[in-house]
Amino acid sequence: MLLLLSISIFLTSCKNNIKSVEKETYLMGTIVQLKVYGRNAEKAAEESLNRISDIESKMSINIETSEISKLNAKAGISGEKLSQDTYSVIKKAIEYSKLTEGALDATIEPIVKLWGIGSDTERVPSKSEIDEKLKLVGYNDIVLDDKNSMVKLRRTSQAIDLGAIAKGYTADEVRQILVKNKISSALINLGGNVYAMGNKLDGTKWNIGVQNPLSTRGEYLGTLSVTNKSIVTSGNYERYFIVDGKRYHHIFDPKTGYPSEKGIISATIVSDNSIDGDALSTSTYVMGLEKGLKLVESIKGVEAIFITVDKKIYVTTGLKDSFKLTDKEFTYEKGR
Ligand code: AMP
Ligand code: MG
């Protein structure tokens, strides 16, 4: 499987004189798919993949030499000078921590590591272990130094994990590369973090499937028809394990240290910028339906689809024409 994924798939074709390039590879711990149409498609796609690698090498928690790993290793001791990429993503994460009353908290890493979801060491930790690690979580301990692009974590053993926001940032960066290469039609998919640029080649909007959180990957419960939008979903089906019939997933409530159980099992955010969509999909998932809806409705240009554990779908008004529910197992709750 890994071997297969690590081979970059590469397709180039030409239709009506418009070059079309499709690439699929494994980066940032996920499957990256790019569909790029236009004269410079090949160059644009190549540059995009290099940029994704570049961001991964700076922000990945799994790469020992990344800026994030170095910063974490110095927690409680000294700060780390960061690239503008990493510095700006940390700053954005703090902004969203404040906006979401701490539902998004990049200092969640000790909790993420303790549970080890998706790794060889995944297990349900004891309450006392969780409480111990929870003491290390708190975005107020991220000390920023704008002038020198330095970040310091105040206390030893604290650590930052940008997993909830880095892919959104990356999608926005890829989009800029495509624009620079005069691409006006493309689909960027970083493991479900999607940006639909322009229209399809036939001039119609992109149709983006919304995953059925109760089925296996690739089964959709509906579609979103969009142009120039980011679509990001946080779901309990992405990474999880099951013990005694109970599902433990990878989106944690920073207040409890347990996987968030506020009734939402999937939060999709439609926005202009993917970094906002990524931050908001994770944080609204943690906030729950009521607070999540309220927050999204208070932000101009941001729309959402929330799916709850009782198979109801809540769609904000701005999406009423673009979202089509196809799976009748779910009931549509309108009028919000
Ligand atoms: P996403 O798939 O964008 O919702 O992000 C989930 C990932 O972000 C997890 O795999 C963790 O690495 C990290 N994470 C989990 N819970 C939180 C949280 N409450 N705040 C910030 N990051 C989180
Ligand atoms: Mg996210």
Side-chain angles (χ1 to χ4, degrees):
M1 171 87 163
L2 257 184
L3 184 75
L4 198 82
L5 290 174
S6 65
I7 298 168
S8 163
I9 303 170
F10 193 102
L11 284 166
T12 309
S13 60
C14 222
K15 206 167 118 194
N16 304 334
N17 271 337
I18 296 176
K19 219 171 186 183
S20 127
V21 172
E22 294 189 15
K23 291 194 185 246
E24 183 168 319
T25 190
Y26 194 80
L27 284 168
M28 299 186 93
T30 195
I31 300 169
V32 169
Q33 292 169 315
L34 299 177
K35 288 184 187 173
V36 185
Y37 304 103
R39 203 153 52 89
N40 302 324
E42 186 55 58
K43 177 171 165 274
E46 202 58 58
E47 273 181 36
S48 299
L49 290 183
N50 289 339
R51 181 73 173 120
I52 299 169
S53 276
D54 170 44
I55 296 173
E56 181 182 23
S57 72
K58 289 172 177 162
M59 299 186 201
S60 172
I61 193 105
N62 301 315
I63 298 174
E64 232 174 281
T65 52
S66 75
E67 293 179 0
I68 290 297
S69 295
K70 286 186 195 160
L71 161 66
N72 289 344
K74 289 182 184 168
I77 303 163
S78 59
E80 175 75 14
K81 194 169 167 52
L82 303 172
S83 61
Q84 271 313 307
D85 286 326
T86 310
Y87 192 79
S88 66
V89 172
I90 292 176
K91 257 192 111 147
K92 197 69 164 182
I94 296 172
E95 224 176 85
Y96 272 102
S97 296
K98 289 179 180 157
L99 191 69
T100 63
E101 295 165 12
L104 187 92
D105 194 324
T107 64
I108 195 85
E109 196 273 348
I111 292 289
V112 174
K113 190 145 100 209
L114 179 65
W115 284 82
I117 294 176
S119 77
D120 304 340
T121 58
E122 61 187 15
R123 68 187 175 94
V124 182
S126 69
K127 173 90 168 60
S128 61
E129 284 176 295
I130 291 170
D131 288 344
E132 201 50 42
K133 295 293 181 196
L134 211 47
K135 290 182 193 155
L136 297 167
V137 178
Y139 67 91
N140 284 321
D141 290 329
I142 306 174
V143 186
L144 297 174
D145 172 356
D146 276 353
K147 222 161 81 202
N148 302 303
S149 298
M150 292 239 313
V151 173
K152 185 188 170 196
L153 285 164
R154 211 167 258 140
R155 293 179 284 139
T156 319
S157 302
Q158 286 191 306
I160 284 179
D161 174 340
L162 295 178
I165 187 168
K167 281 198 271 223
Y169 177 78
T170 307
D172 291 334
E173 289 298 300
V174 168
R175 188 181 68 202
Q176 281 187 29
I177 288 172
L178 300 183
V179 169
K180 197 187 76 193
N181 281 286
K182 301 197 167 52
I183 301 294
S184 52
S185 170
L187 196 69
I188 305 163
N189 185 352
L190 313 176
N193 192 313
V194 173
Y195 187 84
M197 186 186 217
N199 286 321
K200 284 186 289 180
L201 272 192
D202 64 7
T204 61
K205 292 182 175 186
W206 290 102
N207 289 313
I208 309 299
V210 178
Q211 167 75 34
N212 178 340
L214 303 172
S215 303
T216 49
R217 245 175 203 278
E219 275 183 44
Y220 302 131
L221 57 71
T223 52
L224 268 166
S225 191
V226 290
T227 300
N228 290 326
K229 289 287 176 198
S230 158
I231 298 123
V232 185
T233 300
S234 287
N236 68 351
Y237 55 85
E238 287 175 70
R239 221 177 308 144
Y240 64 89
F241 65 93
I242 292 175
V243 178
D244 297 332
K246 189 168 164 47
R247 184 190 291 222
Y248 297 92
H249 62 82
H250 72 309
I251 302 165
F252 294 101
D253 185 338
K255 299 213 162 59
T256 65
Y258 284 85
S260 177
E261 303 283 354
K262 293 263 181 64
I264 291 182
I265 53 173
S266 166
T268 297
I269 301 290
V270 181
S271 57
D272 293 332
N273 290 314
S274 209
I275 192 161
D276 300 314
D278 201 1
L280 282 168
S281 64
T282 309
S283 49
T284 53
Y285 189 108
V286 172
M287 292 167 92
L289 185 67
E290 216 165 297
K291 283 189 174 174
L293 271 172
K294 213 165 143 195
L295 176 64
V296 167
E297 276 163 357
S298 75
I299 310 173
K300 207 168 155 263
V302 174
E303 304 292 338
I305 300 169
F306 297 121
I307 301 164
T308 53
V309 69
D310 54 358
K311 297 189 189 170
K312 290 195 172 128
I313 303 194
Y314 296 80
V315 182
T316 56
T317 41
L319 292 181
K320 72 176 179 344
D321 296 329
S322 46
F323 177 67
K324 209 192 290 158
L325 178 65
T326 48
D327 189 331
K328 300 293 177 249
E329 201 190 343
F330 294 84
T331 35
Y332 202 6
E333 297 282 325
K334 282 193 280 198
R336 301 288 305 220

